[in-house]
Amino acid sequence: MSIPTNLEDELKNLPDGPGAYIFKDEKGRPIYIGKALSLKKRIRSYFQKTTGQSAKTAKLVSKIASLDFLMTDSEMEALILEANLIKRHKPKFNVSLRDDKTYPFIAISLSEDYPKVTVIRGEKRAGHKYFGPFTKAHAMRETLDVLRKIFPLRTCSKAKFNKAKKDSSPCLYHYLKMCSSPCIGAISKEGYDLLVLELVSFLEGRYAKVASSLKKEMDEAAARQEYERAALCRDKIRAIEHVLEGQKMISPKSEDNDYIAIAKERRLAVASVLYVRGGKLIGSDSHVLNLGGIDEEQVASSFIKQFYGQIDSLPRKIFIGGQVDEKDLIEAWLKKRAKRKVQIIQPQRGKNRRLVELAKKNAAHSLSFQTIKAREEGESNPLEGLKDLLKLEWIPQRIEAYDISTLMGRDSVASMIVFEDGLPLKEDYRRFKMAYQGGMNDVAMIEEVLRRRFKRHAKTKTDPFSSFAKLPDLVLIDGGLPQLTVADRVLKDLEMTGVELIALAKREEEIYRRGSARPISLAKDDPALNLLMRVRDEAHRFALSYQANLRSASMLSSALDELPKIGPARKRLLLSFFKTPENILKAELPDLEKVLSRSLAKDLFEHLRKVKLDG
C-alpha cells in the first residue's frame, strides 16, 4: 500500500514513544483514534503492505487525509487519553458509547467541610465522588429521596448554606428530616462525617455493613434510654430494607462483581451489565454502542475503557463473555483507579458463567428493541433526506447554524449552535458579541461571525479538544439570498471548500442553495425541513437568550451601582445565589431577603422594579 503524498513528511517524523493518535478525513474530522506504545511503529503499520489487513482497516486507511498525535509518558496514560478523545469526538471507525453524557450520576462533594449530595449530568467536577451512571433516572431519584431520609446530608448551594448559618435559620428540609442541618449546628462535624461515610458505603453496595452499624447504634441508644434516637435508627434500617426489596441473593460470600455481555448486529451493539454487591444482585443496565469499522475484538475493551473510565466505585471482579483485547494493560489501569486489584475474567462454568449468560439475554433483548427502533427511524431519516435534497456525497452528520439577534441596532449578538447525528451538541454551542456597530445589518454581521468562526478553525485545527477545530458538513444560515451570498463569499475567501451551505428563510420556510436564485419548497411535514427548522429555531433561541442576558447584566450593573450599600462582595453574593443577572432582575422580595437584610432587600426590590419599568 503506497503512502499518500500529503502524509509522507508526517510519517517520517513520528516519535518512537507512547501516545494517542488521531486520523482525520479531508474535512479535518477525526475518523479514528487509537493509542500505541510506539507511535512511530503503530501509525506506520497502517500504511505498510500486509496481506492480512482486513477490509475494514483498508477502508479506514483510504479515508485518512491527515493525522495528529499527542505524546504521553506511558502506555497507560495513552490509554486514558485515547478513551477521553473517543468520548469527545465519537469517530466513525471507533466503538463509542451512545449518549453517555445524558446519564445522571449521584455526586458527593467530598472537598467541602460539610459535603453535599446532588444529581449531576455531563462533565465531572474535581473534588467529587461519583456513583453511576444510572440509565433509569426516575428510579434513581426515587431511591435518592429514600436515601436522604436515611443519610440526611445537605443538598443546598454554598451560598444558601452560608446564609442559613449566618441567620441561624434552616431550610424546609430540616423540618422534613431530610437534612441534618449542619448549617445551624444541629449535628457535630464528626456525626456528619459518619453520615457521609455511611452513604458512600451504601452506594458502593456495602449494605450489610451500614445496616449492622445502624443496628449497633440503635441497641446502644436503647440501652441509654435514648428512645427517640433508637426509633430513628430503626426507621433507617426499615428504609434500607425497603430499598433492598427484590434484590436476589447470588452468593453467601460478600462479593462485589460486575457481569458483562455484549450483543452485536451490524453497526449497533448493546452491552448489558449486572451488578452484584455484597453477594446480592442489586440491578442491571444496558448501554447502546455505535460500532466503528475496526475489528470486532476491540468492542469489549473499548466498552470497558469508556464505561469504567467514568465510574469511581469499581468492582473487584469483572466477568465478561468473550476475550478482552489488552486485558493486562486495562487491569493495571483499573487497579490504579481503584487503588486495589481488579480482575477481568472470562468464566467457563458455574454461577459466574450463568450470570454472564443472563446478561447476554438482557443484551440480546435490548438490541432487538434498538434494532427495531433504528429501522423505524431510518425509514424517515431526515439526514438521509438532506443528503438527497442537497445532492451531497455524504450524510451531513455535523450541522452548524448561525443567527443574529439585535435590539434597535444595539446589543447585537450572534449564535453558533451544533447538531450532530440530528441531535443538539450543546457543549459545542458558541456565542459572539458583534464588533459591527453600523446598526441593523444582518448581512454584515453574518459575514463577521463566519469569518471569526472559520479563522478560529485555522488556529485550533490541531487541538483535538477545541469545538472550532471541527469543520461542519453543512452550515445553515437564518435568512435568504443576501445572507447566503455573503456566507458563500466568506467560505470561498477562507478556502472552506468541503463545507456545504444553505439558508432557510422564515416566512415561507424556503431553502436557498449556492448557485441558484430559486429556493426549494418542501412539504411542511417533510422530515428534512422539520430538522432544518429545529436547528434554525435553536440558533434563534440561543442568540435571544444571550442578548437577554447581556441586557439584564447591563441593566443590573447600572441598578446596583446606583445603590450605595451594594458593593462588590454583595454583588458576588447575589450572583452566586441567583446564578444569572436575569434571575436577580426577576427576583421577588422574599427571594432577595434570603441573601440581603430585610431593609436592603426592600430597597433593591423597589429599585429593580423601577429599572424594569424604565427599561
Side-chain angles (χ1 to χ4, degrees), residues 328-533:
D328 292 344
L329 178 62
I330 294 173
E331 283 184 333
W333 167 63
L334 292 172
K335 179 180 179 180
K336 185 176 180 181
R337 294 202 72 241
K339 296 181 176 59
R340 56 171 168 74
K341 188 175 182 181
V342 178
Q343 291 179 277
I344 299 174
I345 302 167
Q346 185 182 2
Q348 302 300 320
R349 62 184 67 85
K351 163 182 65 82
N352 294 324
R353 178 69 185 176
R354 289 194 298 273
L355 283 170
V356 168
E357 290 296 329
L358 177 59
K360 191 171 184 178
K361 288 181 181 178
N362 288 352
H365 176 76
S366 182
L367 178 62
S368 176
F369 170 76
Q370 292 293 334
T371 304
I372 293 170
K373 182 181 174 185
R375 192 177 300 124
E376 289 174 349
E377 290 175 350
E379 290 172 357
S380 59
N381 187 342
L383 294 174
E384 288 279 5
L386 275 177
K387 175 179 178 289
D388 295 338
L389 175 71
L390 303 175
K391 297 181 175 58
L392 302 176
E393 296 179 9
W394 57 86
I395 291 176
Q397 293 176 321
R398 182 180 174 96
I399 302 173
E400 290 182 5
Y402 297 83
D403 189 36
I404 304 296
S405 182
T406 185
L407 180 66
M408 303 300 290
R410 295 182 294 107
D411 297 324
S412 297
V413 300
S415 65
M416 163 186 149
I417 67 102
V418 180
F419 271 49
E420 279 197 2
D421 296 321
L423 297 171
L425 186 67
K426 295 193 174 182
E427 67 202 59
D428 279 4
Y429 284 19
R430 294 295 180 267
R431 290 162 162 163
F432 303 81
K433 273 187 181 180
M434 290 290 92
Y436 178 81
Q437 297 295 327
M440 297 173 65
N441 188 335
D442 279 7
V443 173
M445 286 186 275
I446 283 291
E447 179 175 9
E448 178 190 331
V449 70
L450 288 180
R451 286 193 185 279
R452 288 168 62 181
R453 184 267 182 264
F454 288 104
K455 282 182 178 179
R456 286 290 298 275
H457 165 73
K459 294 178 181 177
T460 62
K461 60 184 178 182
T462 58
D463 180 358
F465 292 101
S466 170
S467 64
F468 288 118
K470 297 181 183 179
L471 282 180
D473 298 305
L474 176 66
V475 167
L476 172 62
I477 303 296
D478 179 33
L481 203 54
Q483 287 84 357
L484 180 74
T485 302
V486 73
D488 185 33
R489 186 170 71 238
V490 171
L491 294 183
K492 286 178 179 175
D493 287 349
L494 299 177
E495 299 181 350
M496 296 291 114
T497 54
V499 178
E500 191 51 67
L501 173 67
I502 59 173
L504 182 61
K506 275 197 184 76
R507 184 175 296 176
E508 300 296 332
E509 305 295 3
E510 293 175 325
I511 302 167
Y512 287 86
R513 296 173 300 165
R514 285 167 158 166
S516 175
R518 295 173 63 102
I520 302 172
S521 295
L522 298 177
K524 298 298 182 185
D525 60 350
D526 186 285
L529 177 61
N530 287 332
L531 173 61
L532 291 178
M533 289 168 60

Side-chain angles (χ1 to χ4, degrees), residues 215-327:
K215 175 79 165 56
K216 181 181 177 183
E217 186 181 348
M218 180 181 71
D219 292 342
E220 289 175 353
R224 295 193 301 267
Q225 297 185 349
E226 296 175 0
Y227 299 118
E228 186 175 342
R229 184 169 185 79
L232 183 62
C233 293
R234 178 203 62 204
D235 292 342
K236 288 182 178 183
I237 293 169
R238 288 177 179 173
I240 288 175
E241 290 170 351
H242 172 72
V243 171
L244 300 183
E245 279 178 6
Q247 291 183 357
K248 182 179 179 182
M249 177 62 75
I250 295 297
S251 169
K253 300 177 184 177
S254 184
E255 297 180 344
D256 293 347
N257 303 330
D258 285 355
Y259 297 83
I260 299 174
I262 298 171
K264 301 185 287 287
E265 182 177 306
R266 295 180 182 175
R267 294 185 62 82
L268 195 66
V270 171
S272 181
V273 187
L274 305 182
Y275 307 103
V276 172
R277 297 294 183 267
K280 286 187 175 182
L281 179 61
I282 66 170
S284 66
D285 281 319
S286 291
H287 300 266
V288 181
L289 299 97
N290 291 321
L291 294 184
I294 295 303
D295 302 327
E296 290 192 1
E297 62 262 24
Q298 294 185 10
V299 176
S301 60
S302 295
F303 172 72
I304 289 174
K305 286 186 283 187
Q306 292 179 60
F307 181 67
Y308 290 105
Q310 59 185 353
I311 292 175
D312 291 334
S313 181
L314 299 176
R316 293 188 176 275
K317 295 178 182 178
I318 299 169
F319 292 94
I320 187 164
Q323 295 287 341
V324 176
D325 192 35
E326 301 180 311
K327 174 176 169 289

